[in-house]
Amino acid sequence: MQPVALRTARLVLDLPVEGDVARVAEYCTDPLFEEYLTTPWPYTEAHARGFLTEYVPSAWSSGGELTWALRAEQGGPLLGVISLRTDAREVGYWLGSEHRGSAYMTEALLAVCEWAFAELPGTETVTWRANAGNVGSAMVARAAGFRSTTTPETTVPGRDGADLVGWSGERGATPDADAYESWAPLLGGAA
């Protein structure tokens, strides 16, 4: 599959490239990444280079995982990354700390979901999972119309391969009317 660029009102979602190595390496040293993501820890420039020059192009080529860079303008600096694992129609994402609270990731997630429903045959739902306690990621999923599907059995893979307690959600092409309320047990009244 060839990389596809997406545009939103404020963002360009395009292919993350080798020129993004320094930003990826910087962002992925955030202590939240150690707690909530499966990226290598400690994270180095070598990890970022391998991700950008080997993993991302190979995954696009095979169609197995489609990864976009978030940018405020064409050719602009990397703000974050969003991926869609096509076999499970599962999204994953992260945003550089100085860009959190901007609603950029919700905007990007909506664009990726819209693209998946329109362009990936057989897409009926898009799923999301995160480590339990990742409130920021859950708030993005909630804002993008995902319904919480979390049960006591929900898990996510950990960095070492062991399953961890997780949270999950899903959405169809049109969010369920009560999707927002489904998050109350996890997020309470979090804005």
Side-chain angles (χ1 to χ4, degrees):
M1 174 177 256
Q2 291 296 311
V4 174
L6 305 174
R7 292 187 181 270
T8 70
R10 300 181 299 156
L11 298 170
V12 173
L13 280 65
D14 63 10
L15 187 67
V17 294
E18 189 171 5
D20 297 318
V21 165
R23 282 259 171 148
V24 169
E26 172 193 346
Y27 291 151
C28 290
T29 59
D30 183 325
L32 288 178
F33 284 46
E34 179 182 18
E35 185 173 356
Y36 294 122
L37 300 183
T38 57
T39 52
W41 194 265
Y43 199 88
T44 66
E45 277 203 14
H47 292 122
R49 189 169 312 285
F51 173 67
L52 295 168
T53 64
E54 296 169 24
Y55 183 79
V56 169
S58 173
W60 265 102
S61 180
S62 72
E65 185 167 349
L66 315 179
T67 302
W68 289 269
L70 279 66
R71 305 180 198 282
E73 62 188 11
Q74 186 71 43
L78 179 99
L79 309 174
V81 168
I82 186 167
S83 295
L84 175 67
R85 291 168 207 87
T86 57
D87 60 343
R89 302 301 200 263
E90 183 177 341
V91 291
Y93 43 82
W94 57 259
L95 199 60
S97 61
E98 67 264 30
H99 308 295
R100 295 179 193 144
S102 63
Y104 282 151
M105 193 53 75
T106 300
E107 195 171 317
L109 180 54
L110 287 167
V112 168
C113 287
E114 181 178 302
W115 180 84
F117 290 123
E119 302 297 330
L120 287 180
T123 303
E124 295 181 17
T125 59
V126 174
T127 62
W128 162 90
R129 288 187 304 161
N131 289 17
N134 192 341
V135 171
S137 186
M139 289 174 65
V140 168
R142 180 181 69 179
F146 282 68
R147 160 186 289 289
S148 175
T149 57
T150 303
T151 68
E153 292 78 33
T154 301
T155 62
V156 295
R159 186 174 284 113
D160 62 1
D163 285 340
L164 303 174
V165 176
W167 288 350
S168 63
E170 69 179 21
R171 69 160 282 169
T174 303
D176 295 336
D178 61 348
Y180 190 93
E181 289 77 25
S182 71
W183 294 93
L186 298 179
L187 301 177

